């Protein structure tokens, strides 16, 4: 039994080693121009919008990559992870990781959720508790790979987006466009052994080209050439939620941004404000928030960063017409 448990990591290490050998060559290959993508629609029941909905929105940090986004009557949950300190998640290939924190909100205390944005299917982003207890009719926006797994779990409203695909969401008078943008869970070669990842751009408002508010969620990605296409297609990002942590598989292979990468991402995407998330919740996270803060200070970008403790809320306002 012990030999069986060790075999997965051993095979993974060998595969990573072979994949890493081809990284330099893969990174230098020319990139084809990105397609425009397909458009899908989701119409939600109108409900009752709060009186202040037009004046402000909020982002509440629950932990890991899990946030609650509320804006103009919409409530969006990202990468739901509600396990507790000491619980373990499975990452594949026989690897596990232990949670180091508690979520700021218990799963059963969540408000009604209009939709979930899932960057990829890993248990620290969609854990066993969520898999068992999330309402099967909850709309979930994710990658095609993740959507296949969600189908097997019985989720009925799945929106599988490839790169540059869009989902047009309406709820009463509220409009939101979600676009899948580039993300890659590790260096070229290594990433093929990990789940497909999508970043997301959220454009709130009736006119996606001139949104009331534009938000970017990085997903578990490193900085690579395709990321530069995001600000080209989506200039004027108001807020970026960056998945940091410097996650390392087998303690060696980095598969999410560390502090230095986070600053580089800010310099490429150029958001007006940045909120770091996904940085201290699991023992595979090797780059603490303090490292990002040092890099931010060294780059002179402190005024553009908002630091949220678990449970804290950031309030934002739409652009003025």
């Amino acid at each position: 039994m012990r030999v069986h448990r060790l075999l997965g990591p051993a095979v993974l290490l060998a595969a990573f080693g072979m994949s890493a050998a081809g990284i330099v060559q893969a990174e230098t290959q020319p990139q084809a121009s990105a397609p425009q993508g397909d458009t899908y629609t989701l119409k939600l029941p109108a409900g009752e919008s709060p009186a202040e909905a037009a004046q402000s929105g909020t982002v509440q940090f629950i932990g890991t990559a899990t946030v609650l986004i509320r804006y103009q009557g919409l409530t969006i949950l990202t990468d739901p992870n509600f396990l507790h300190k000491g619980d373990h998640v499975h990452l594949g290939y026989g690897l596990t990781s232990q949670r180091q924190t508690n979520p700021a909100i218990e799963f059963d205390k969540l408000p009604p959720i209009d939709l979930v944005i899932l960057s990829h299917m890993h248990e620290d982003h969609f854990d066993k508790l969520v898999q068992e207890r999330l309402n099967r009719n909850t709309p979930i926006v994710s990658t095609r790979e993740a959507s296949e797994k969600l189908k097997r779990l019985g989720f009925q409203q799945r929106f599988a987006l490839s790169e540059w695909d869009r989902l047009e969401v309406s709820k009463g008078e509220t409009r939101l466009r979600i676009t899948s943008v580039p993300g890659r869970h590790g260096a070229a070669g290594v990433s093929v052994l990990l789940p497909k990842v999508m970043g997301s751009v959220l454009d709130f408002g009736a006119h996606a080209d001139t949104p009331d508010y534009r938000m970017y969620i990085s997903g578990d990605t490193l900085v690579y050439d395709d990321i530069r296409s995001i600000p080209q297609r989506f200039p004027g990002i108001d807020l970026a939620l960056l998945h940091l942590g410097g996650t390392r598989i087998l303690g060696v292979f980095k598969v999410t941004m560390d502090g230095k990468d986070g600053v580089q991402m800010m310099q490429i995407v150029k958001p007006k404000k940045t909120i770091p998330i996904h940085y201290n919740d699991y023992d595979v996270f090797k780059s603490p928030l303090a490292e990002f803060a040092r890099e931010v200070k060294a780059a002179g970008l402190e005024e553009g960063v908002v630091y949220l403790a678990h449970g804290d809320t950031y309030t934002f306002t739409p652009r003025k017409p």
Side-chain angles (χ1 to χ4, degrees):
M1 190 71 176
R2 176 176 173 79
V3 172
H4 176 74
R5 285 197 296 266
L6 292 174
L7 184 58
V11 171
L12 179 61
L13 182 58
F16 274 150
M18 290 186 290
S19 298
I23 288 174
V24 175
Q25 182 178 359
E27 293 283 8
T28 59
Q29 295 300 313
Q31 296 290 326
S33 57
Q36 292 301 309
D38 296 323
T39 300
Y40 305 90
T41 60
L42 169 63
K43 185 175 182 179
L44 297 166
E48 294 184 6
S49 300
E52 70 275 12
Q55 285 73 45
S56 65
T58 60
V59 173
Q60 185 178 18
F61 181 36
I62 297 175
T64 318
T66 309
V67 301
L68 269 177
I69 302 168
R70 293 179 169 114
Y71 189 62
Q72 294 184 341
L74 280 171
T75 301
I76 301 163
L77 182 66
T78 71
D79 293 296
N81 181 212
F82 289 88
L83 298 182
H84 290 80
K85 184 176 181 179
D87 291 340
H88 287 79
V89 293
H90 295 275
L91 302 177
Y93 302 100
L95 303 176
T96 63
S97 183
Q98 185 181 63
R99 183 151 189 175
Q100 309 294 300
T101 65
N102 289 316
I105 300 175
E106 296 297 323
F107 180 83
D108 59 5
K109 301 297 184 183
L110 286 172
I113 302 299
D114 288 305
L115 63 95
V116 169
I117 298 176
L118 175 62
S119 66
H120 66 295
M121 183 61 87
H122 252 159
E123 282 191 16
D124 59 326
H125 292 255
F126 201 81
D127 62 46
K128 291 292 189 183
L129 182 151
V130 173
Q131 292 176 31
E132 294 173 0
R133 297 174 59 183
L134 184 65
N135 188 307
R136 265 31 189 184
N137 289 318
T138 303
I140 304 177
V141 186
S142 194
T143 65
R144 294 190 177 279
E145 180 184 69
S147 293
E148 286 300 314
K149 295 182 180 179
L150 292 168
K151 180 180 180 180
R152 293 195 291 271
L153 289 169
F155 289 96
Q156 301 300 309
Q157 293 198 70
R158 305 172 309 279
F159 295 89
L161 303 187
S162 298
E163 202 168 279
W164 307 119
D165 285 351
R166 301 168 297 275
L167 176 66
E168 303 279 1
V169 181
S170 62
K171 183 179 182 182
E173 297 300 315
T174 299
R175 299 292 183 271
L176 165 67
R177 172 185 283 183
I178 302 169
T179 304
S180 172
V181 299
R184 194 176 67 194
H185 208 346
V190 173
S191 65
V192 300
L193 300 170
L194 296 169
K196 299 290 185 183
V197 168
M198 74 172 195
S200 304
V201 171
L202 282 60
D203 284 321
F204 293 94
H207 305 288
D209 292 336
T210 56
D212 297 337
Y213 199 81
R214 174 167 281 168
M215 188 181 302
Y216 166 58
I217 306 173
S218 72
D220 279 14
T221 187
L222 295 182
V223 179
Y224 67 112
D225 284 348
D226 289 2
I227 295 294
R228 298 183 185 279
S229 62
I230 297 173
Q232 293 171 3
R233 293 187 180 224
F234 297 96
I237 291 171
D238 295 292
L239 177 66
L241 305 180
L242 300 187
H243 293 201
L244 302 179
T247 308
R248 290 186 180 270
I249 299 296
L250 299 174
V252 177
F253 299 99
K254 184 171 66 173
V255 296
T256 66
M257 292 182 286
D258 58 19
K260 187 174 183 179
D261 298 325
V263 167
Q264 185 181 2
M265 180 70 85
M266 290 175 63
Q267 292 168 333
I268 293 171
V269 176
K270 293 181 171 58
K272 295 172 185 174
K273 294 291 181 182
T274 295
I275 297 176
I277 58 177
H278 190 275
Y279 54 77
N280 70 339
D281 299 278
Y282 282 91
D283 59 11
V284 289
F285 296 174
K286 301 302 182 183
S287 176
L289 185 61
E291 178 183 305
F292 175 68
R294 286 195 300 270
E295 296 289 344
V296 166
K297 184 176 182 179
L301 297 174
E302 291 174 286
E303 291 187 3
V305 179
V306 177
Y307 295 99
L308 298 182
H310 291 49
D312 285 355
T313 297
Y314 172 69
T315 300
F316 59 87
T317 54
R319 304 171 184 177
K320 294 180 180 180

